[in-house]
Amino acid sequence: EAMTWKWLAYAPSPSSGEFSVPTNASQIDELLKCLEEGRACPVFGPTEDERKDAARMAAFEGVKAQGNAAFSSGKWLDAIQAYDRAIQIVADAAADQRPMFVEQPRPLAAAHANAALCFLRLEAEMDDEKKKKNLAAEALRRALAAAEADAHYAKAHDRCAKAFEL
C-alpha cells in the first residue's frame, strides 16, 4: 500500500520550550543571551511591522479586486472609489515609514492607471463639455501618477496619451 506525505505548516510553541530560527542579528543576540543564562529560548515569528505589512497588502489586494469587479460591471464611480482606497492604503504605509511596492511598483501603478481608465470611460459617456474636460483632466492626472509610480508601465503611458487626445 502506497503512502502519501503531506507537509503541514509548523509553528513552534513558546510554552513547549521550542525555538525557531532567528532571522536577524537582534534575534540571534536574544537567543544567545537566553542560552547563556539558561532560560527558555524565545520563539521568533513575524514582527508587529511584518504583520501590519501583510494586513496592508491583503487590504490593498482586496479593495483593488473590488475595483476590478466594479470596473467589469461598468460601475465606474464604484471602481474609482475602490482604487482610491487601495492607493490610500499605500499612502498610509509610506506615512508610517513602511512603504509598499518599493521594488515592484506595478500594483500601485495599475491602481492609478485603472482609475484613469474609469475617468476616460466616464468622459466618453458625458454630454456636458465642461464636465468632459474636467474628467479628461482627472484621467490625465491619474495616468501621470501611474507613470510616476512605474515609468515602465505601458498602460500608464497609453492612458496619458488617450487623456491628451481629449
Side-chain angles (χ1 to χ4, degrees), residues 6 9 22 32 49 52-53 66 87-88 96 101 123 162:
K6 180 178 179 184
L32 291 173
D49 283 342
K52 191 182 280 188
D53 291 348
Q66 290 173 359
I87 292 164
Q88 187 60 50
D96 290 345
F101 308 119
E123 186 277 339
K162 286 180 178 168

Side-chain angles (χ1 to χ4, degrees), residues 53 56 90-103:
D53 291 348
R56 279 188 171 139
V90 176
D92 291 345
D96 290 345
Q97 306 300 312
R98 301 291 299 175
M100 300 170 68
F101 308 119
V102 173
E103 294 182 22

Side-chain angles (χ1 to χ4, degrees), residues 53-66 85-86 89 100:
D53 291 348
R56 279 188 171 139
M57 186 63 74
F60 175 86
E61 293 297 333
V63 294
K64 186 170 173 272
Q66 290 173 359
R85 286 193 310 271
I89 290 167
M100 300 170 68

Side-chain angles (χ1 to χ4, degrees), residues 17 19-20 22 27-42 44:
F19 65 93
S20 58
Q27 291 178 350
I28 292 170
D29 291 342
E30 187 178 348
L31 184 59
L32 291 173
K33 185 177 178 184
C34 290
L35 291 172
E36 287 172 359
E37 295 174 358
R39 294 186 289 122
C41 295
F44 301 108

Side-chain angles (χ1 to χ4, degrees), residues 46-145:
T47 65
E48 185 62 34
D49 283 342
E50 290 169 336
R51 281 192 288 276
K52 191 182 280 188
D53 291 348
R56 279 188 171 139
M57 186 63 74
F60 175 86
E61 293 297 333
V63 294
K64 186 170 173 272
Q66 290 173 359
N68 293 344
F71 181 89
S72 295
S73 300
K75 297 177 181 175
W76 315 129
L77 293 175
D78 291 345
I80 290 167
Q81 289 175 344
Y83 294 134
D84 284 349
R85 286 193 310 271
I87 292 164
Q88 187 60 50
I89 290 167
V90 176
D92 291 345
D96 290 345
Q97 306 300 312
R98 301 291 299 175
M100 300 170 68
F101 308 119
V102 173
E103 294 182 22
Q104 294 294 328
R106 185 61 46 90
L108 175 60
H112 281 295
N114 291 352
L117 184 57
C118 290
F119 279 104
L120 291 171
R121 297 286 170 92
L122 284 170
E123 186 277 339
E125 295 175 356
M126 187 62 57
D127 291 328
D128 183 338
E129 284 303 315
K130 184 176 180 182
K131 289 182 181 179
K132 285 175 83 79
K133 284 187 180 218
N134 290 338
L135 290 168
E138 184 61 20
L140 178 59
R141 188 180 75 75
R142 299 300 184 99
L144 287 171

